Amino acid sequence: MEHNPSTQDPVAQILLLEDDAPLRERFARILAGWPGGRLVTACATLGEALAALGKHKVDLLLTDLRLPDGHGTEAIRQLRRLNPNADALVISVLADDETVLEAIEAGAVGYLLKDADSIELLEAIEEVRAGRSPISSSIARVLVRRMGAPAQNPTGPALTPRETEILRGIAKGFTYAELAEWLNISHQTVPVHIKNIYRKLAANNRSEAVYEASKRGLIRL
Amino acid sequence: MEHNPSTQDPVAQILLLEDDAPLRERFARILAGWPGGRLVTACATLGEALAALGKHKVDLLLTDLRLPDGHGTEAIRQLRRLNPNADALVISVLADDETVLEAIEAGAVGYLLKDADSIELLEAIEEVRAGRSPISSSIARVLVRRMGAPAQNPTGPALTPRETEILRGIAKGFTYAELAEWLNISHQTVPVHIKNIYRKLAANNRSEAVYEASKRGLIRL
DNA sequence: ATCAATATACCCCATTTATGGTATGCCCCC
DNA sequence: GGGGGCATACCATAAATGGGGTATATTGAT
């Protein structure tokens, strides 16, 4: 994640999307007194935000997720369609896996949980602008759980080392013959392992096996 | 990630693994004056740590990654083999994707970058014990980049909507016939799309296509 | 000492894929 | 109004795969 100061506007054009009026105004006040960015608009609804995104160049979107007329991820998606270099920072009370993952997938690079200790908004914005990802620790846990240690908690039957090797080979598109040569075994033995893999993964063919194994964290792509 | 106070020892048994003597001692001193945990041992090498893990019950591992005789992820793996409920918190200067992902995969739930502002060790430990994931923002960016918005930054040639649909079907193991029925098109048309997919992804068969597409973020598994 | 799991090897055959063509209708953009 | 990209459809054939057997050697655990 290179940062090129020449293409990076030193003063960020900020769009704020937050339906709670007191909070929105609080954020707006904080931003008003901050030289690092300019608040383009403060919106209370998704509709307003989508309209505003069409009218103004926005570098940074600060957004809530649960909105009266839709979901903040829509604003994130629209932002990144219009300007792939723009960043989105989520500020939400929602912390369930699905919501968090959807926001990250939509393109959010930061995610602050709206709770407890007052949010260090400007600090987080600076982090984002510097190419880092400020994320509340509860939210980070979702990502860690999602990415991490699936090898320790395999969902179904475990694959033997040999099977894992072969599975990796399959994922890379090797044919039976190539796998046999690669592993220095008979081209007759390869399908045996593969059949066992299919049984364990409840798959019926190569691509489904790759899909299943990847979903279960047995291989990393 | 439920937290059950009854099975959670209120006083964490902590193993510290850090090869840099001054830092190790600094951490040890911090832990010594902290009622929330007990420092079982402070190790300087992977070997010592692996031995210590065999001898003592450890709830929390604080570890560096680059060690004179190996990699801290090995200690994490060993820890989690012995006690799947134990947590690992990485403290390292390393921030490259591969290192970070390997540590998370090994089972680390927190990752503090050893830099700049003095590490808030106790705060981070408390976060970990509370089931959260303290992660430095530079490190979090690695996770976000890995999980997020690849659809916005497709690496190679883009797939058409139809191709994407078919690719998803392939990943799920559908045959040509099933795909044709699913999409209500001729079973003759399916291979045409698939050929185009192969060309765009530089793949030669189904599993390689799934592998490539997943790596490029064109599909999410 | 035995059993279970793993890895190895071979055979057969129906089904599925991969690859090469050619061709038409649609829609959008310049 | 023509060009480009997309989706559609068909044909033919060689290669690869999937599923069914059976069998042996090794190894680690009981």
Side-chain angles (χ1 to χ4, degrees), chain B residues 160 162 185-186 189 193:
Chain B
T160 68
R162 202 46 150 183
I185 59 180
S186 158
T189 303
H193 290 299

Side-chain angles (χ1 to χ4, degrees), chain B residues 9 11-15 37-38 40 57-61 129:
Chain B
D9 193 336
V11 176
Q13 303 296 307
I14 302 177
L15 181 69
R38 197 182 71 82
V40 175
K57 171 175 172 295
V58 172
D59 300 313
L60 177 62
L61 170 66
R129 298 289 289 172

Side-chain angles (χ1 to χ4, degrees), chain A residues 23-56:
Chain A
L23 194 57
R24 182 176 65 249
E25 279 152 28
R26 193 182 119 214
F27 286 159
R29 269 196 305 279
I30 293 176
L31 290 171
W34 185 56
R38 197 182 71 81
L39 181 59
V40 175
T41 325
C43 306
T45 67
L46 178 60
E48 284 177 50
L50 293 178
L53 282 171
K55 285 204 272 286
H56 310 285

Side-chain angles (χ1 to χ4, degrees), chain A residues 160 162 185-186 189 193:
Chain A
T160 69
R162 202 47 148 186
I185 59 179
S186 158
T189 303
H193 289 300

Side-chain angles (χ1 to χ4, degrees), chain B residues 144-212:
Chain B
V144 167
R145 199 167 47 233
R146 173 83 184 190
M147 312 241 350
Q152 269 77 28
N153 317 314
T155 318
L159 297 184
T160 68
R162 202 46 150 183
E163 286 163 358
T164 304
E165 269 183 309
I166 293 209
L167 189 54
R168 276 187 225 283
I170 287 182
K172 294 194 177 154
F174 293 161
T175 66
Y176 286 10
E178 290 168 331
L179 284 168
E181 193 185 354
W182 182 42
L183 300 173
N184 283 316
I185 59 180
S186 158
H187 61 94
Q188 309 279 6
T189 303
V190 174
V192 176
H193 290 299
I194 294 186
K195 276 183 276 196
N196 289 330
I197 294 172
Y198 289 169
R199 192 170 30 72
K200 289 184 180 176
L201 297 182
N204 300 299
N205 54 53
R206 302 159 75 82
S207 51
E208 194 177 2
V210 171
Y211 177 76
E212 273 300 322

Side-chain angles (χ1 to χ4, degrees), chain A residues 176-188:
Chain A
Y176 286 10
E178 288 168 333
L179 284 168
E181 193 185 355
W182 181 42
L183 299 173
N184 283 315
I185 59 179
S186 158
H187 61 94
Q188 311 277 8

